[in-house]
Amino acid sequence: MSEKKVSLLEGFKAFLTRGNVIDLAVAVVIGAAFTNIVNAVVKGVINPLVGAFGTQDLDNYSSCLRGPCTTDPRTGEMDGIEILWGSVLSAALSFLITAAVVYFLMVLPMAKYLARRAAAQAAKEGVRETMEVSELEVLKEIRDALVAQRTGGAPGSHGPGSGGTDGAAGPREDG
């Protein structure tokens, strides 16, 4: 029975120490902190700017769908059906600000970095491919020269008598 507990704990430890679990935990913590920043920007900057045209808080913007939409001061109940579109607008602005900040501060710079890295890698691969091609060409030339020496032909020819007239490996100098 203790063997099963040890393996269960070892499995849990392996699960926790995997990189993706830790990355996810960090992302959740950063996301929570980032949410607080965005909410502060919306409440401290956006709401007052919108408030310059109307009420001070977006949450106060509402429309009455049916009835006079009055609150009974004794019971606190609402008469009529109230639509709180200011809260929706506030949430939509929070989403847009969050998406803009994530895109412009995280996604766009990372995409540019990855594109530069991919271009550098492609250039490196292109140089390597060019080197491999030029090495292959040099090896072909060496092969052709060796064949020509053996057969007495000119470099690039692959058969006897296909180059020189006397069957020699190269030009002869009599002197």
Side-chain angles (χ1 to χ4, degrees):
M1 190 109 184
S2 67
E3 217 176 271
K4 188 170 188 173
K5 286 184 180 180
V6 171
S7 66
L8 186 66
L9 289 176
E10 287 176 1
F12 184 66
K13 182 180 175 185
F15 171 74
L16 288 179
T17 56
R18 268 193 289 189
N20 54 359
V21 173
I22 293 171
D23 291 342
L24 181 62
V26 169
V28 168
V29 170
I30 298 240
F34 188 69
T35 300
N36 289 336
I37 292 171
V38 169
N39 288 339
V41 168
V42 169
K43 287 183 181 174
V45 177
I46 303 297
N47 284 350
L49 287 175
V50 172
F53 301 106
T55 63
Q56 292 296 323
D57 190 8
L58 283 177
D59 292 335
N60 292 335
Y61 286 103
S62 64
S63 296
C64 192
L65 186 63
R66 186 182 68 159
C69 287
T70 57
T71 306
D72 187 5
R74 290 174 285 158
T75 61
E77 291 182 14
M78 173 71 67
D79 292 334
I81 299 173
E82 185 177 29
I83 297 177
L84 303 172
W85 58 270
S87 300
V88 175
L89 181 62
S90 179
L93 287 173
S94 295
F95 172 77
L96 288 175
I97 291 170
T98 303
V101 169
V102 166
Y103 180 76
F104 290 113
L105 295 181
M106 295 176 194
V107 173
L108 190 61
M110 183 59 81
K112 286 183 179 181
Y113 168 74
L114 291 176
R116 274 188 271 131
R117 189 170 171 193
Q121 185 69 22
K124 193 178 193 181
E125 289 295 323
V127 168
R128 184 176 297 139
E129 185 177 304
T130 303
M131 285 176 48
E132 289 173 0
V133 168
S134 62
E135 287 176 4
L136 184 61
E137 291 298 321
V138 169
L139 289 173
K140 285 180 182 178
E141 289 176 12
I142 292 170
R143 178 201 64 203
D144 291 345
L146 289 173
V147 167
Q149 282 180 354
R150 279 194 210 141
T151 61
S157 64
H158 298 290
S162 61
T165 58
D166 61 357
R172 292 178 63 166
E173 290 185 38
D174 293 323

